RNA sequence: GGGUGAUUAGCUCAGCGGUAGAGCAUCUCGUUUACACCGAGGAGGUCGGCAGUUCAAAUCUGUCAUCACCCACCA
């Protein structure tokens, strides 16, 4: 017997799912789910829980539907984040900054990575994520390394890779270049300083506005717009850069915007992207004034050397003010580029880096989506994808950190580069190049952007560059489920690299889910303190409840707002399931393998079979469209409304009658009682098992557990014949019964009758005349009535062509009943009149479809009949009073 | 500056041409041996504004407003 209390902890913990290995079903359709590898930086957050749950639902569903499913897990080394995190740990525990060698730090990170991986994998198992952990991969494992080198070499040889000195976004805290995508704009309160640049001939000055006065030392010109009347006469004049004795020219360039600042702009090519372009156009020199830590260098006046950039700014402004070169200061809101990981303002710096030429790679990636070989769900994300790829810029892939794939490039003594998959191969190339037997080669110090290895994930995980059966079977047969925030970082690059290296798309489907936010719609963040830990939720409510809730809140293209109350809804649903199955078991329901749908006789049994069939179809449709919200809704209503609130109540009298008198046996005139009871038990067990199996992808723990309790160990997708036609009479009868019960309940409550007190009732119906005989037990119990003699004081209710007469107790409030009927008749009249208006409108008759017109006619007739009957009732109530 | 999405019951959201739905909250009643993490019954909305298309608009088209996000730029 099941425990009285539903306690997910008692069984979820003990479950470990045996994941069927892939490739074991050679005749089945292959299907792969590529799990976005979480960073090895600690633990999973609620966003992972959502993402992984959705994938697990898909994977389990596909397995049930007979696919050969490979659900591929992995972990990402997450270069910068992980290194920063481990460094912080080390410093926090006493290590001195800058004392660790590369080898020492890497050793520490590997240790940390092991711990993190274990935590993450356990969390995934707690959530019930059914990936094939025996195939777990890490972006920096041996296979990953091989693949990365191979692709790097291929890109290099194909001319898609180059190394060069260029201006990049530099993170002074990490002391590394980062890519455009890792730049976030932040709006901050800043100042706009108006500086006087004195003419070299002392004949006056020009005022230039800047937000970065510390960069004046890198100024090589002042630019004005050629159209700008104010300054045209000054072009070519020399001015003196403030606080220095350096002379620069006033030049003309379209870049100077007369609308902004004073219309004259200082040009600092070494520290600004736009100025760099201007510098190139005018062949201006580059003056670098900062080192890689963001401190001013020897190219600035001695006073400011070694100052941090912000300290320098304060000091420069102070001195400018003192020397009278500061005209005025304005407060402004400005957008400043920050590093997304380090959260410090970035510096544009000229450094030597490796770049991938993205334009060529983008072309086939764009057409793959244009040609519908790859589709985004929801589709609108394709616009974002196109927009980015159409304007894609070179991808800076080198990082000046230690944790990551070391760039497979070696340099000879003269700086000649040899790109090769290994030192040996680089050596061969070098030997050939120099025509010597021995060449000292030094490997590039830098590592690759983490996303470089992530971009190869679809084929790396399948064993590439080895030729593997998995590669042949699953490549381009997968789905990727992820958040929109990594469409550029990951999705686009996987498509580019996949098409480039494999000559085939990696996956046809990309499902994009929303971000998980708190109940107010805010992003979750540690600083806001609104982070919800999925594992805490699992502990409190059970993993199934968490999974259920996440799935139920997932709508395509919408963010998921979550709070604990929404998880309670999921938990309540599972409790309901637990209880109803406990009840069924208490009444002797266990799964009967011999059960045949066609043998069922009782209308309620036929009805629930139909309802289950309908639910299965609905879930199949919704799964096909990745409508996880609909999937849970169908399950919810099927169980709670149809199964619990109606079906179980219908069959209680049958299940619970322990001993029957002969008279009672006669009443159950459908079947001999023992047979009827068995019939109902079997149907109930069957329905429960079907339900649990459809529930399985969403809530596997409870599904497995209760299915086992019902005597079914194997989960399989229901295969139910279409019963709608065969069972149509029974279905209609039960629907009628439901309406009768609801109506009587409604009236009784309206009249403030005590629900416990039975009211005498007579049912008058053309098609279901004998319903009161056939379903006496059910009606009496569920509607709180008694069939018997009806005295003259009666009221009645009209439903679907039937009239239910109810005997009035003394003291019943007839006036309010009359009010109720009048309101009802008025509502029906309004509806009828609306319908008639339509049906007499020639425009409607001429244009609307036949079925629509028919439906309107039917409704009008329906209303007419109801109105007629209610009017009769009102008349009869007049007689009573 | 360019783009995308949202605006429907108190809240969170479905519905996306044929007379408005769910969950939660709320109100009334109910402790009948599955379940109070429950049952029964109610109340609650001119579907952001305006214009248009249509016999018919929450649903399609324009436009405006508000909010959110993305991209680009700023002296």
């Amino acid at each position: 017997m099941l425990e009285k209390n539903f306690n997910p902890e008692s069984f979820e913990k003990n479950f470990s799912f045996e994941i069927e290995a892939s490739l074991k079903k050679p005749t089945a359709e292959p299907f792969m789910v590529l799990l976005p590898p979480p960073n090895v930086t600690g633990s999973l957050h609620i966003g992972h829980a959502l993402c992984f749950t959705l994938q697990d639902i898909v994977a389990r569903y596909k397995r049930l539907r007979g696919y050969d499913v490979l659900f591929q897990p992995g972990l990402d080394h997450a270069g910068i984040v992980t290194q920063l995190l481990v460094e912080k740990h080390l410093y926090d525990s006493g290590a001195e900054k800058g004392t660790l060698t590369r080898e020492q730090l890497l050793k520490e990170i590997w240790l940390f990575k092991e711990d993190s991986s274990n935590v993450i994998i356990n969390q995934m198992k707690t959530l019930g994520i059914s990936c094939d952990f025996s195939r777990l991969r890490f972006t920096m494992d041996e296979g990953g390394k091989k693949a990365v080198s191979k692709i790097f070499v291929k890109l290099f040889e194909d001319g898609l890779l180059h190394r060069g000195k260029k201006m990049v976004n530099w993170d002074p805290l990490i002391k590394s270049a980062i890519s455009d995508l890792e730049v976030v704009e932040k709006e901050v309160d800043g100042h706009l300083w108006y500086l006087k640049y004195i003419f070299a001939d002392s004949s006056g000055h020009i005022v230039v506005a800047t937000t970065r006065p510390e960069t004046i030392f890198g100024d090589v010109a002042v630019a004005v717009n050629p159209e700008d009347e104010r300054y045209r006469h000054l072009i070519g004049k020399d001015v003196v850069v403030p606080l220095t004795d350096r002379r620069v020219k006033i030049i003309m360039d379209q870049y100077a915007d007369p609308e902004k600042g004073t219309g004259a702009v200082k040009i600092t090519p070494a520290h600004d992207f736009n100025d760099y372009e201007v510098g190139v156009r005018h062949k201006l020199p580059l003056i670098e004034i900062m080192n890689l830590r963001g401190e001013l260098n020897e190219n600035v006046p001695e006073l400011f050397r070694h100052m941090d950039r912000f300290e320098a700014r304060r000091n420069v402004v102070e001195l400018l003010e003192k020397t009278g070169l500061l005209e005025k200061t304005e407060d402004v809101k400005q957008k400043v580029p920050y590093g997304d990981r380090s959260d410090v303002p970035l510096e544009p710096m000229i450094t030597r880096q490796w770049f991938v030429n993205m334009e060529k790679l983008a072309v086939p990636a764009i057409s793959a989506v244009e040609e519908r070989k790859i589709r985004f769900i929801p589709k609108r994300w394709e616009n974002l994808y196109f927009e980015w790829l159409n304007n894609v810029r070179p991808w800076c892939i080198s990082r000046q950190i230690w944790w990551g794939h070391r760039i497979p490039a070696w340099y000879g003594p003269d700086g000649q580069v040899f790109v090769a998959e290994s030192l040996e191969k680089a050596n061969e190339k070098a030997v050939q190049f120099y025509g010597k037997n021995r060449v000292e080669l030094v490997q590039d110090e830098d590592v690759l952007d983490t996303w470089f290895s992530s971009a190869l994930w679809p084929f790396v995980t399948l064993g590439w560059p080895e030729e593997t059966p998995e590669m042949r079977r699953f490549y381009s047969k997968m789905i990727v489920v992820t958040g929109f925030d990594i469409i550029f970082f990951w999705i686009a690059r996987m498509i580019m690299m996949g098409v480039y290296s494999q000559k085939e798309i990696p996956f046809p489907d990309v499902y994009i889910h929303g971000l998980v936010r708190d109940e107010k719609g805010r992003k979750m963040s540690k600083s806001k303190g609104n982070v919800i830990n999925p594992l805490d939720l699992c502990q409190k409510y059970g993993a199934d409840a968490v999974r259920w809730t996440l799935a139920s809140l997932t709508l395509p293209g919408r963010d998921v707002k979550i709070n604990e109350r929404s998880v309670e809804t999921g938990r309540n649903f599972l409790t309901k399931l637990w209880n109803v199955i406990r009840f069924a078991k208490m009444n002797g329901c266990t799964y009967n393998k011999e059960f045949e749908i066609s043998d069922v006789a009782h209308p309620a049994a036929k009805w629930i079979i139909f309802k289950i069939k309908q639910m299965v179809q609905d879930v199949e449709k919704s799964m096909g469209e990745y409508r996880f919200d609909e999937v849970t809704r169908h399950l919810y209503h099927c169980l709670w409304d149809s199964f619990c609130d109606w079906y179980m109540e219908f069959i209680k009298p049958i299940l619970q009658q322990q001993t029957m008198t002969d008279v009672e046996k006669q009443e159950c005139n459908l079947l001999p009682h023992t047979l009827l009871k068995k019939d109902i038990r079997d149907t109930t067990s069957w329905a429960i098992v079907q339900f649990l199996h459809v529930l399985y992808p969403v809530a596997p723990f409870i599904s497995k557990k209760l299915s086992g309790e019902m005597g079914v160990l194997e989960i399989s997708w229901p295969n139910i014949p279409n019963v709608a036609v065969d069972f149509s009479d029974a279905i209609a009868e039960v629907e009628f019964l439901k309406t009768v019960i609801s109506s009587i309940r409604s009236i009784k409550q309206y009249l403030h009758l005590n629900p416990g007190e039975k009211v005498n009732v007579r049912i008058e119906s053309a098609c279901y005349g004998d319903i009161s005989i056939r379903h006496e037990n059910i009606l009496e119990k569920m509607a709180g009535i008694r069939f018997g003699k009806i005295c003259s004081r009666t009221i009645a209710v009209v439903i679907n062509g039937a009239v239910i007469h109810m005997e009035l107790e003394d003291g019943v409030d007839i006036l309010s009943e009359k009010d109720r009927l009048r309101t009802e008749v008025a509502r029906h009249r309004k509806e009828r009149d609306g319908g008639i208006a339509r049906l007499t409108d020639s425009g409607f008759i001429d244009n609307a479809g036949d079925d629509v017109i028919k439906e309107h006619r039917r409704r009008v007739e329906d209303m007419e009949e109801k109105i007629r009957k209610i009017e009769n009732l009102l008349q009869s109530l007049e007689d009573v009073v």
Side-chain angles (χ1 to χ4, degrees):
Chain A
M1 266 312 130
L2 290 175
E3 302 151 51
K4 177 140 172 53
N5 293 322
F6 167 56
N7 176 16
E9 236 184 314
S10 71
F11 59 88
E12 284 187 359
K13 267 196 298 195
N14 308 328
F15 257 105
S16 70
F17 291 99
E18 295 292 322
I19 300 310
E20 200 179 318
S22 49
L23 286 167
K24 289 287 159 62
K25 294 198 281 188
T27 54
E29 279 277 307
F31 184 81
M32 176 165 172
V33 181
L34 185 69
L35 186 104
N39 293 346
V40 285
T41 43
S43 59
L44 300 181
H45 55 69
I46 190 91
H48 289 118
L50 170 73
C51 184
F52 295 177
T53 295
L54 299 182
Q55 291 173 65
D56 192 57
I57 292 172
V58 172
R60 288 181 191 268
Y61 176 73
K62 288 284 182 179
R63 281 191 208 110
L64 285 185
R65 301 310 305 273
Y67 286 82
D68 181 18
V69 174
L70 170 55
F71 188 3
Q72 174 66 48
L75 295 159
D76 196 306
H77 67 279
I80 291 173
V81 212
T82 313
Q83 180 167 336
L84 280 182
L85 197 69
V86 173
E87 278 175 339
K88 188 175 180 305
H89 282 324
L90 291 173
Y91 299 148
D92 286 353
S93 54
E96 206 169 310
K97 271 194 185 185
T99 55
L100 283 173
T101 64
R102 187 169 190 143
E103 284 63 37
Q104 283 169 324
L105 181 65
L106 287 180
K107 201 179 138 204
E108 292 291 335
I109 300 178
W110 275 107
L111 288 172
F112 175 83
K113 175 254 165 192
E114 280 309 311
D115 289 347
S116 258
S117 308
N118 291 334
V119 170
I120 289 168
I121 288 161
N122 282 328
Q123 289 181 318
M124 286 174 69
K125 286 182 176 167
T126 302
L127 266 168
I129 307 304
S130 63
C131 30
D132 183 351
F133 286 105
S134 69
R135 296 183 52 90
L136 182 77
R137 292 294 301 271
F138 179 54
T139 46
M140 262 169 73
D141 61 19
E142 275 309 307
K145 210 166 149 186
K146 265 190 210 157
V148 163
S149 314
K150 201 166 172 113
I151 294 288
F152 190 92
V153 172
K154 180 173 162 62
L155 284 167
F156 184 77
E157 284 170 357
D158 289 346
L160 294 169
L161 208 54
H162 71 274
R163 182 168 182 260
K165 255 197 143 182
K166 261 204 201 176
M167 185 167 278
V168 294
N169 288 295
W170 182 266
D171 190 314
L173 183 81
I174 300 170
K175 295 187 280 296
S176 172
I178 60 173
S179 76
D180 304 334
L181 288 176
E182 290 158 284
V183 179
V184 287
E185 300 281 340
K186 273 200 181 185
E187 191 165 78
V188 297
D189 290 318
H191 303 282
L192 191 56
W193 286 280
Y194 288 76
L195 316 185
K196 293 179 191 164
Y197 284 57
I198 310 285
F199 299 149
D201 57 12
S202 304
S203 63
H205 66 264
I206 185 168
V207 177
V208 168
T210 179
T211 53
R212 304 209 51 194
E214 73 279 12
T215 61
I216 53 174
F217 307 120
D219 286 359
V220 294
V222 169
V224 298
N225 193 288
E227 307 293 314
D228 196 335
E229 296 297 336
R230 293 172 296 177
Y231 299 118
R232 193 173 281 174
H233 64 286
L234 298 177
I235 291 164
K237 236 175 156 42
D238 281 352
V239 294
V240 180
V241 174
L243 310 185
T244 72
D245 49 12
R246 215 152 40 75
R247 292 176 175 203
V248 300
K249 280 216 177 332
I250 296 179
I251 58 169
M252 60 174 187
D253 194 282
Q254 288 293 343
Y255 168 66
D257 183 346
E259 304 290 315
K260 287 178 185 163
T262 61
V265 59
K266 64 197 239 8
I267 301 299
T268 320
H271 296 283
D272 182 284
F273 284 97
N274 287 308
D275 292 7
Y276 182 80
E277 297 299 319
V278 176
V280 171
R281 277 201 288 279
H282 295 267
K283 300 193 170 56
L284 297 169
L286 287 168
I287 304 178
E288 292 179 70
I289 61 154
M290 248 181 262
N291 67 21
L292 298 178
R293 287 187 299 278
E295 297 156 351
L296 300 204
N297 64 13
E298 64 289 348
N299 291 331
V300 308
E302 200 158 349
L303 181 60
F304 301 104
R305 283 180 201 166
H306 314 303
M307 271 187 195
D308 167 79
R309 50 196 168 143
F310 301 108
E311 193 189 351
R313 182 179 301 174
R314 278 192 301 276
N315 283 282
V316 166
V317 170
E318 207 172 289
L319 192 58
L320 283 166
E321 199 158 20
K322 269 189 202 153
T323 50
L325 293 171
L326 180 67
E327 194 187 66
K328 60 172 176 173
T329 307
E330 268 175 20
D331 291 340
V332 287
K333 287 253 180 239
Q334 61 177 147
K335 283 199 182 155
V336 176
Y338 274 68
D340 65 344
R341 295 303 183 186
S342 62
D343 203 33
V344 299
L346 300 173
E347 286 298 334
M349 294 273 224
I350 295 164
T351 52
R352 199 179 292 284
Q353 305 289 348
W354 286 93
F355 296 88
V356 178
N357 175 355
M358 300 287 270
E359 277 176 41
K360 274 190 189 155
L361 293 169
V363 174
I366 291 169
S367 34
V369 176
E370 273 173 352
E371 290 161 15
R372 315 293 303 139
K373 286 182 195 151
I374 298 175
R375 64 172 181 150
F376 282 67
I377 304 150
K379 191 169 188 297
R380 67 184 163 86
W381 293 112
E382 289 173 11
N383 294 335
L384 192 71
Y385 172 85
F386 289 137
E387 196 198 296
W388 187 68
L389 280 183
N390 281 322
N391 301 297
V392 76
R393 286 175 291 180
W395 174 17
C396 172
I397 51 168
S398 40
R399 296 290 178 274
Q400 288 66 51
I401 57 170
W402 290 341
W403 177 240
H405 285 284
R406 187 104 175 239
I407 290 177
W410 284 263
Y411 304 98
D414 59 350
Q416 175 62 36
V417 63
F418 301 98
V419 170
E421 283 172 47
S422 62
L423 174 61
E424 292 70 43
K425 288 190 180 162
N427 247 323
E428 283 170 28
K429 288 186 179 177
V431 163
Q432 201 179 3
F433 180 82
Y434 292 112
K436 287 196 253 174
N437 283 339
R438 245 178 75 84
V439 188
E440 280 297 318
L441 290 180
V442 183
Q443 185 170 9
D444 198 312
E445 288 293 320
D446 295 348
V447 300
L448 288 166
D449 181 3
T450 300
W451 295 103
F452 189 89
S453 48
S454 312
L456 321 182
W457 204 233
F459 44 91
V460 168
T461 52
L462 291 173
W464 192 89
E466 308 302 324
E467 275 197 31
T468 62
E470 286 92 337
M471 188 67 196
R472 279 192 298 277
R473 188 151 170 77
F474 292 104
Y475 187 78
S476 82
K477 300 285 190 303
M478 59 186 102
I479 181 172
V480 183
V481 177
T482 189
F484 62 84
D485 47 333
I486 54 173
I487 290 179
F488 307 147
F489 279 111
W490 196 43
I491 300 292
R493 287 167 180 166
M494 278 194 292
I495 296 174
M496 282 190 271
M497 288 304 193
V499 174
Y500 166 67
S501 68
Q502 310 301 321
K503 309 276 174 272
E504 201 182 341
I505 56 151
F507 37 75
D509 280 0
V510 181
Y511 178 92
I512 303 291
H513 62 249
L515 242 53
V516 183
R517 295 167 179 280
D518 74 0
E519 64 226 289
K520 295 190 184 107
R522 298 172 307 182
K523 259 189 192 171
M524 289 191 186
S525 72
K526 278 179 195 152
S527 55
K528 282 191 205 119
N530 59 350
V531 175
I532 297 181
N533 181 339
L535 278 301
D536 290 350
L537 287 181
C538 286
Q539 197 155 40
K540 197 163 168 194
Y541 299 99
D544 281 335
V546 174
R547 293 167 61 106
W548 171 276
T549 304
L550 289 171
S552 69
L553 296 174
T554 298
L555 286 139
R558 231 178 152 112
D559 285 346
V560 174
K561 284 187 208 165
I562 194 168
N563 60 23
E564 281 212 26
R565 264 224 309 273
S566 46
V567 186
E568 280 173 20
T569 309
R571 188 265 324 261
N572 293 354
F573 173 75
L574 298 175
T575 308
K576 186 82 179 171
L577 175 69
W578 180 273
N579 281 317
V580 76
I581 291 176
R582 192 163 61 89
F583 177 68
K585 284 200 69 186
M586 274 161 49
N587 284 285
C589 296
T590 37
Y591 190 68
N592 174 9
K593 281 196 296 254
E594 315 293 319
F595 174 74
E596 288 285 345
I597 283 169
S598 47
D599 295 343
V600 167
H602 197 279
K606 290 183 174 172
W607 180 81
I608 197 63
I609 290 168
F610 168 68
K611 282 290 175 183
I612 294 278
K613 168 71 181 174
Q614 213 171 33
M615 182 273 290
V616 174
Q617 281 176 324
D618 289 342
V619 168
E620 284 171 2
K621 182 168 180 286
S622 298
M623 275 306 301
E625 294 161 358
Y626 301 106
R627 284 297 302 263
F628 302 100
D629 62 319
E630 286 184 351
V631 169
T632 54
R633 253 213 316 278
H634 295 143
L635 286 162
Y636 185 96
H637 287 118
C638 177
L639 181 84
W640 208 303
D641 299 349
S642 302
F643 191 78
C644 293
D645 289 348
W646 290 111
Y647 174 73
M648 284 315 268
E649 297 301 326
F650 285 150
I651 65 163
K652 263 183 193 172
I654 301 166
L655 286 180
Q656 290 186 329
Q657 261 169 324
Q658 299 299 325
T659 53
M660 285 186 124
T661 62
D662 287 342
V663 181
E664 282 169 331
K665 281 179 187 167
Q666 291 270 304
E667 282 173 356
C668 289
N669 56 1
L670 288 153
L671 281 174
H673 177 66
T674 45
L675 265 183
L676 176 65
K677 197 162 175 173
K678 185 181 182 307
D679 197 29
I680 290 296
R681 276 179 174 163
D682 284 354
T683 307
T684 308
S685 312
W686 175 89
I688 288 171
V689 168
Q690 307 312 309
F691 180 85
L692 288 173
H693 289 195
V694 180
L695 176 70
Y696 173 82
V698 181
F701 294 102
I702 197 172
S703 166
K704 244 335 209 190
K705 161 80 179 164
L706 292 177
S707 197
E709 293 284 341
M710 293 304 295
V712 180
L713 297 176
E714 193 86 359
I715 307 285
S716 56
W717 194 255
N719 184 11
I720 310 169
N722 215 331
V723 292
V725 176
D726 288 349
F727 289 3
S728 61
D729 288 347
I731 293 162
E733 184 172 333
V734 171
E735 290 299 330
F736 177 71
L737 205 52
K738 280 171 60 185
T739 318
V740 169
I741 292 166
S742 294
S743 309
I744 294 174
R745 280 168 172 174
S746 172
I747 302 259
K748 280 186 72 177
Q749 183 120 6
Y750 191 83
L751 296 177
H752 304 293
L753 297 178
N754 186 339
E757 232 169 279
K758 306 249 177 196
V759 179
N760 280 336
V761 162
R762 183 167 60 83
I763 297 176
E764 185 187 315
S765 162
C767 15
Y768 303 106
D770 56 347
I771 194 168
S772 46
I773 302 165
R774 298 211 286 136
H775 299 293
E776 186 177 351
N777 280 347
I778 290 172
L779 281 163
E780 290 195 344
K781 196 164 177 231
M782 291 180 74
I785 55 166
R786 187 189 318 120
F787 291 108
K789 282 185 294 188
I790 299 274
C791 73
S792 57
R793 274 172 60 87
T794 64
I795 57 163
V797 60
V798 178
I799 33 171
N800 305 4
V803 182
I804 320 237
H805 297 274
M806 296 173 66
E807 189 173 30
L808 287 180
E809 302 278 316
D810 286 337
V812 158
D813 185 1
I814 296 214
L815 285 180
S816 62
E817 166 62 4
K818 278 170 37 181
D819 274 352
R820 186 187 70 86
L821 290 174
R822 283 194 196 105
T823 322
E824 201 175 341
V825 86
R827 204 178 62 230
H828 291 152
R829 279 208 188 100
K830 202 176 155 198
E831 195 174 337
R832 176 200 61 185
D833 294 347
I836 288 174
R838 286 253 176 108
L839 289 166
T840 50
D841 180 350
S842 62
F844 177 73
I845 297 295
D846 294 346
N847 292 297
D850 283 347
D851 44 343
V852 174
I853 295 175
K854 225 189 241 171
E855 175 61 18
H856 277 257
R857 286 228 172 84
R858 196 196 59 75
R859 258 188 240 153
V860 168
E861 281 162 21
D862 200 33
M863 287 304 118
E864 296 275 14
E865 193 191 345
K866 278 194 177 157
I867 292 162
R868 206 168 52 240
K869 287 189 173 159
I870 293 170
E871 279 171 343
N872 285 341
L873 288 174
L874 275 167
Q875 189 57 49
S876 67
L877 282 182
E878 296 298 329
D879 299 343
V880 171
V881 177

